[in-house]
């Protein structure tokens, strides 16, 4: 049982975290008279997760409890937790938004992330469970030189987690601000404080159960919306897709994306084009590179690898991946209906008008299904989806912070500074909590400092580094006898530097010359578009007037963005790397950096032999296959 001061501290944090979302103004998406609905639903979700954290906090007594929930999570529970860890705001809001804007191409992201778990199931889950203990570095240190492995492993985990964590914090601040109307800074602080409460007091136990609850809420919300969208068609897929193809809003979106070629196409052809590839992912090489990063990057993500240490047996690890695949796969099928339903009922232009990335597709569809912005049910649906999105962001951030904190505390402090695992449990837990505060505080500061920045490159970097550095080192350590310390160190360095370097010269960065050209193109076209809108208004026809108002609002927004972009790049001529245009056309460098990572491990392992790594191979092979002596840790 926790003592009185600890209980008081936890209660104070609960009250602080619960109060944050109510300190700002509501968003335009929610009707003013129903603002209380949004706050009430958010309060319910926050109180539920805080109660879970309070219960979990009483069970954290050792380092194993903090890092891996004492290995007491079942396969089914871990499957739901993996799904909750993996289905981030990008999955929930981003993919549905991409489908609503680009049709088939948006769904390809779902396919890539789902296929990734086949790799995890066949190659990673069971061996990691049998070899490791808490972290990625534990897997690498089992047969290689422990001190070097803990340093390079921890640095890689912190690098990947920081990239992905910053993107989540910035995305969380923007999305929560858009969804419920609170200030960006308050959004970031709210996400950060709640995340700190989960990890600091409840460790992996609280993080796991928050992820489970969030995943269940996410699936329930998605199922409910999809049922309401699909019911009018008698659950007939051909009828549903035929309605999408014939929708004027969808046809207008395709015409906008295709440009001049659309003039030679009929309305039916434009609608059909929405169900075909090429509207978003236009270069086959870029699609292949993206797919490689998604598949291998997932298998190298530290917060995903940590989940396999929370189950008691290798069989439970396999079972958890199978459950995760079923849950994630089922959810990604639902995103197809969420995206298409939003495109049909709300319209791609309306969705992009609220958020250029389309991230409001799901929430706006929920509001529409519930009766619109002026109805109680519509605002309740919007509030529920918003609250689930908020819980999604916080749960994923908590998993990332736990991964980074464990690398700092377990690998660097216990493994390197203190020289091994003969460290009192109390000191290990204290080190983990100090590391959590440092990582969490840094995440909040970086999130606020990154306001208004494009973080797409950070997401690309996270997956690229995980796929190019972590995955080759883990895979070859587990399956190649000659793999050794020299190869793993080289693979980590080469994989990381190549992924980061190629990303820094890719289209992910901002190139002032290109931004300026795009902005001038919009401004140069403004007079002719204003003239066309004036002609529409002169007709006095109701439909023409409505179209004129809509086009005028869209043009005003485009012009404002163009002027804002010009101000941002004023006086600048090159990117951060001194380039006027991208050196490579690939947005994700995986097709180059992943082979380089593998090649570095292989060449340096062959160049210099490591007798310890080779002598440990038979034990590693036997243990990863059978799980013998798995509870005896990784200390040698």
């Amino acid at each position: 049982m926790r003592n009185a001061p600890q209980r008081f501290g936890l209660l104070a944090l609960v009250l602080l975290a619960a109060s944050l979302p109510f300190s700002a103004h509501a968003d335009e998406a929610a009707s003013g008279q129903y603002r209380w609905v949004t706050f009430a639903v958010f309060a319910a979700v926050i109180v539920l997760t805080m109660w879970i954290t309070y219960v979990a906090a009483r069970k954290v007594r050792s380092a194993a409890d903090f890092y891996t929930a004492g290995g007491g999570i079942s396969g089914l529970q871990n499957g739901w937790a993996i799904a909750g860890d993996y289905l981030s705001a990008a999955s929930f809001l981003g993919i549905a938004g991409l489908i609503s804007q680009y049709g088939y191409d948006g769904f390809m992201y779902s396919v890539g992330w789902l296929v990734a778990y086949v790799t995890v199931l066949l190659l990673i889950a069971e061996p990691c469970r049998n070899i490791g203990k808490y972290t990625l570095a534990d897997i690498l240190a089992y047969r290689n030189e422990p001190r070097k492995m803990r340093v390079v492993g921890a640095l890689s985990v912190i690098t990947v987690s920081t990239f992905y964590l910053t993107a989540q914090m910035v995305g969380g601040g923007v999305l929560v601000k858009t969804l419920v109307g609170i200030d960006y800074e308050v959004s970031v602080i709210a996400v950060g404080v709640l995340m700190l409460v989960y990890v600091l007091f409840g460790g992996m136990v609280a993080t796991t159960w928050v992820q489970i609850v969030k995943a269940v809420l996410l699936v329930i919300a998605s199922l409910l919306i999809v049922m309401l969208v699909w019911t009018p068609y008698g659950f007939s897929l051909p009828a549903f897709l035929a309605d999408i193809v014939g929708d004027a809003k969808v046809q207008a979106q395709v015409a906008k994306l295709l440009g001049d070629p659309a003039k030679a196409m009929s309305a039916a052809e434009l609608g059909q084009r929405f169900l075909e590839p090429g509207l978003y992912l236009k270069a086959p090489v870029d699609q292949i590179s993206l797919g490689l990063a998604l598949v291998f990057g997932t298998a190298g993500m530290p917060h995903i690898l940590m989940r396999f240490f929370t189950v008691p047996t290798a069989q439970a690890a396999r079972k958890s991946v199978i459950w995760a695949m079923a849950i994630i796969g089922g959810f990604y099928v639902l995103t197809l209906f969420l995206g298409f339903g939003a495109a049909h009922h709300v319209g791609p232009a309306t969705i992009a008008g609220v958020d250029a990335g389309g991230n409001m597709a799901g929430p706006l569809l929920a509001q529409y299904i519930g009766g619109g912005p002026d109805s109680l049910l519509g605002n309740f649906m919007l509030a529920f989806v918003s609250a689930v999105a908020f819980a999604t962001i916080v749960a994923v951030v908590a998993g990332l912070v736990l991964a980074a904190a464990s690398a700092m505390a377990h690998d660097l402090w216990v493994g390197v500074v203190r020289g091994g695992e003969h460290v009192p449990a109390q000191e290990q837990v204290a080190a983990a909590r100090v590391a959590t505060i440092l990582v969490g505080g840094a995440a909040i500061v970086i999130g606020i400092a990154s306001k208004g920045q494009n973080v797409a490159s950070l997401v690309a970097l996270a997956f690229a580094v995980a796929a190019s550095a972590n995955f080759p080192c883990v895979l070859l350590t587990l399956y190649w006898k000659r793999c050794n310390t020299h190869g793993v160190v080289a693979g980590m360095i080469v994989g990381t530097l190549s992924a980061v370097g190629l990303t820094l010269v890719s289209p992910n960065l901002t190139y002032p010359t290109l931004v300026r050209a795009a902005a001038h193109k919009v401004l140069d076209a403004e007079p002719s578009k204003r003239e066309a809108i004036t002609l529409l208004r002169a007709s006095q026809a109701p439909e023409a007037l409505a179209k004129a108002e809509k086009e005028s609002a869209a043009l005003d927004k485009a012009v404002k963005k163009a002027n804002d972009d010009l101000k941002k790049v004023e006086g600048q001529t090159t990117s951060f790397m001194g380039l006027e245009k991208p050196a490579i056309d690939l947005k994700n460098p995986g097709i180059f950096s992943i082979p380089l990572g593998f090649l570095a491990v292989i060449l340096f392992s062959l160049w210099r032999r490591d007798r310890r790594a080779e002598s440990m191979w038979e034990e590693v092979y036997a243990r990863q296959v059978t799980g013998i002596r798995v509870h005896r840790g990784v200390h040698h």
Side-chain angles (χ1 to χ4, degrees):
M1 296 294 290
R2 306 185 68 85
N3 57 36
Q6 289 174 312
R7 287 182 176 176
F8 177 79
L10 179 58
L11 178 61
L13 282 172
V14 170
L15 294 176
L16 172 62
S19 68
L20 284 173
F22 310 103
S23 61
H25 302 291
D27 184 46
E28 293 178 0
S31 176
Q33 70 180 109
Y34 297 117
R35 187 179 304 173
W36 62 271
V37 176
T38 302
F39 292 159
V41 175
F42 261 72
V45 171
I46 291 172
V47 169
L48 174 62
T49 56
M50 287 297 97
W51 178 78
I52 292 171
T53 304
Y54 176 75
V55 173
R58 295 183 294 176
K59 299 180 180 180
V60 179
R61 297 184 178 87
S62 67
D65 293 334
F66 189 89
Y67 292 127
T68 63
I73 304 298
S74 70
L76 174 59
Q77 293 168 346
N78 200 45
W80 276 101
I82 290 173
D85 214 350
Y86 199 61
L87 297 176
S88 64
S91 299
F92 182 30
L93 300 173
I95 292 179
L98 283 173
I99 294 173
S100 73
Q101 299 294 308
Y102 302 101
Y104 175 87
D105 279 358
F107 186 61
M108 293 312 296
Y109 276 81
S110 298
V111 176
W113 272 320
L114 177 60
V115 171
Y117 269 96
V118 177
T119 305
V120 174
L121 173 64
L122 297 178
L123 299 176
I124 297 297
E126 182 178 353
C128 285
R129 169 64 188 82
N130 290 338
I131 296 296
K133 186 175 182 181
Y134 297 146
T135 65
L136 167 70
D138 285 339
I139 302 169
L140 301 175
Y142 191 87
R143 59 179 292 213
N144 300 308
E145 188 177 331
R147 193 175 290 266
K148 290 182 180 178
M149 291 301 96
R150 296 201 180 281
V151 172
V152 297
L155 292 178
S156 178
V157 169
I158 293 170
T159 300
V160 173
S161 298
T162 301
F163 289 149
Y164 204 30
L165 182 61
T166 302
Q168 289 289 326
M169 293 296 286
V170 174
V174 173
L175 291 177
V176 174
K177 176 181 181 297
T178 303
L179 288 166
V180 297
I182 66 178
D183 293 337
Y184 172 84
E185 290 79 7
V186 178
S187 300
V188 172
I189 294 173
V191 172
V193 170
L194 282 172
M195 165 270 296
L196 277 173
V197 172
Y198 297 156
V199 180
L200 197 59
F201 291 97
M204 181 59 84
V205 182
T207 301
T208 295
W209 281 103
V210 168
Q211 288 165 345
I212 291 173
V213 169
K214 163 251 176 165
V216 171
L217 291 175
L218 183 60
V219 171
I220 290 174
S222 301
L223 275 173
L224 178 61
I225 296 172
V226 169
M227 286 179 63
L228 293 174
V229 167
W230 206 10
T231 298
Y233 303 95
F235 297 100
S236 170
L237 183 59
F240 176 71
L241 294 179
D243 218 8
I244 300 298
V245 170
D247 188 270
K249 298 186 294 295
V250 170
Q251 295 166 359
Q253 173 70 2
V254 174
K256 174 185 173 184
L257 293 173
L258 293 179
D260 291 337
K263 297 177 182 178
M265 300 172 66
S266 66
E269 289 173 333
L270 289 172
Q272 182 62 36
R273 192 70 177 80
F274 198 65
L275 306 182
E276 300 172 356
L279 292 178
Y280 183 64
L281 300 171
K282 299 178 181 180
V285 176
D286 215 350
Q287 293 186 40
I288 295 171
S289 189
L290 172 66
L292 289 172
L294 293 179
V295 172
F296 297 142
T298 298
M301 277 292 180
H303 65 298
I304 299 296
L305 292 174
M306 280 189 70
R307 294 239 55 94
F308 301 122
F309 305 138
T310 65
V311 292
T313 64
Q315 181 183 13
R318 292 194 304 273
K319 187 181 294 184
S320 66
V321 176
I322 293 172
W323 274 111
M325 289 173 63
I327 297 165
I328 294 168
F331 173 79
Y332 281 149
V333 171
L334 297 180
T335 61
L336 183 66
F337 295 94
L338 291 173
F340 281 157
H344 174 52
H345 292 296
V346 182
T350 302
I351 296 168
V354 177
D355 178 77
N359 293 306
M360 284 293 289
L364 289 175
L365 176 61
Q367 188 182 56
Y368 174 88
I369 293 297
D374 296 324
S375 68
L376 175 60
L377 182 58
N379 280 276
F380 173 79
M381 295 278 284
L382 174 68
F384 182 63
V385 172
S386 301
V388 172
F390 184 76
T392 295
I393 294 164
V394 176
V396 174
V397 167
L400 290 165
V401 167
L402 190 57
S406 64
M408 291 175 62
H410 175 67
D411 295 327
L412 295 180
W413 176 257
V414 175
V416 177
V417 177
R418 300 284 276 123
E421 297 191 355
H422 299 295
V423 178
Q426 186 176 3
E427 181 181 338
Q428 293 189 46
V429 174
R433 285 179 169 148
V434 170
T436 298
I437 294 173
L438 293 175
V439 174
I444 294 173
V445 172
I446 293 173
I448 293 175
S450 301
K451 180 180 180 180
Q453 298 300 311
N454 183 348
V455 295
S457 57
L458 295 179
V459 177
L461 270 174
F463 274 92
V465 172
S468 307
N470 294 357
F471 179 70
C473 293
V474 170
L475 187 71
L476 294 177
T477 293
L478 294 174
Y479 292 102
W480 186 36
K481 181 178 180 179
R482 288 294 300 273
C483 181
N484 58 36
T485 302
H486 310 294
V488 171
V489 171
M492 284 287 187
I493 294 173
V494 172
T496 301
L497 292 181
S498 61
V500 173
L502 290 171
T503 301
L504 291 177
V505 297
S506 73
N508 288 299
L509 266 67
T510 299
Y511 296 87
T513 302
L514 300 181
V515 171
R516 197 174 289 111
H520 283 306
K521 185 178 180 180
V522 172
L523 296 176
D524 291 343
E526 181 187 5
S528 61
K529 290 186 177 182
R530 295 286 184 196
E531 185 177 347
I533 292 171
T534 302
L535 292 175
L536 281 175
R537 286 174 174 159
S539 70
Q540 296 298 314
E543 292 183 0
L545 288 174
K547 184 179 180 181
E549 293 302 320
K550 188 175 181 180
E551 291 185 359
S552 178
L555 181 58
D556 289 341
K557 186 173 182 179
V559 170
K560 182 180 183 303
K561 182 179 183 301
N563 286 319
D564 290 342
D565 288 343
L566 287 175
K567 289 180 181 178
K568 287 180 182 178
V569 299
E570 187 176 359
Q572 302 177 33
T573 57
T574 62
S575 70
F576 174 76
M577 297 298 294
L579 299 175
E580 292 187 359
K581 62 179 181 178
I584 60 173
D585 293 330
L586 294 176
K587 291 185 177 179
N588 196 297
I591 198 168
F592 296 121
S593 59
I594 294 172
L596 286 174
F598 273 102
L599 191 62
V601 178
I602 293 170
L603 291 179
F604 277 81
S605 294
L606 293 174
W607 177 48
R608 297 186 62 181
R609 299 187 64 178
D610 185 340
R611 296 193 180 278
R612 181 183 187 278
E614 291 185 27
S615 66
M616 290 288 296
W617 167 249
E618 291 184 1
E619 180 179 337
V620 168
Y621 182 76
R623 180 162 165 171
Q624 68 164 294
V625 173
T626 65
I628 295 174
R629 299 175 69 216
V630 70
H631 293 295
R632 301 190 67 174
V634 296
H635 181 64
H636 290 272

